[in-house]
Amino acid sequence: MRIMITIENTQECFVRLWRKLERTRRLLWEQHRRFCIRHVMQMWLGAEATDDLIWEVCSKMTMVLDDDIPVGGWDELPAPALYPRRHRELLRVVVAVVLDIGVRKVDLKALDRAYSIAFPKSTPINVNKKKVGLK
């Protein structure tokens, strides 16, 4: 089953992507299939999700993530609402690859705001971690 998807570099599209990611996770779970990059890409893009495209997404995710753990197409993904940072980078890379733009060209602020809209009860992704000293 293919979930029709149009990808743009806008906050409205990012809200749809966050929600589709969660729906895709549930659908794969109901089908007893692994929630992984390969299955997500195949469901979203159908025949356009070639091995080369999936490899490009996985390799760019490995470069973007802060950890040194390589990302494989079959690696199980956690729930988006529970571990949003990894999924933010996934969506960022998917948008960059599909639109053929650089990862840094993806509107990260809009992507973070979209997460707060899609998952309003969750803590926002981009919480300012800098502590202001008391004077």
Side-chain angles (χ1 to χ4, degrees), residues 54-108:
I54 294 167
W55 177 86
E56 186 176 357
V57 168
C58 292
S59 65
K60 284 189 178 183
M61 265 197 69
T62 300
M63 292 187 309
V64 169
L65 292 173
D66 291 335
D67 51 27
D68 291 331
I69 302 168
V71 178
W74 292 106
D75 295 342
E76 187 82 26
L77 296 169
L82 298 177
Y83 297 96
R85 289 191 183 272
R86 202 163 201 57
H87 296 299
R88 174 183 67 172
E89 298 309 327
L90 171 62
L91 293 179
R92 186 176 171 197
V93 169
V94 167
V95 169
V97 169
V98 170
L99 296 179
D100 197 26
I101 60 176
V103 175
R104 293 185 180 186
K105 300 280 185 185
V106 176
D107 189 351
L108 197 54

Side-chain angles (χ1 to χ4, degrees), residues 29-52:
W29 182 80
E30 289 170 2
Q31 295 174 353
H32 303 286
R33 295 175 63 203
R34 184 181 301 218
F35 178 55
C36 62
I37 294 172
R38 176 173 295 280
H39 287 151
V40 169
M41 299 291 292
Q42 288 171 341
M43 289 187 77
W44 286 8
L45 302 174
E48 296 173 31
T50 63
D51 287 341
D52 290 339

Side-chain angles (χ1 to χ4, degrees), residues 6-17:
T6 302
I7 296 180
E8 301 167 346
N9 193 9
T10 63
Q11 181 174 328
E12 293 79 22
C13 177
F14 297 148
V15 171
R16 286 193 316 269
L17 289 176

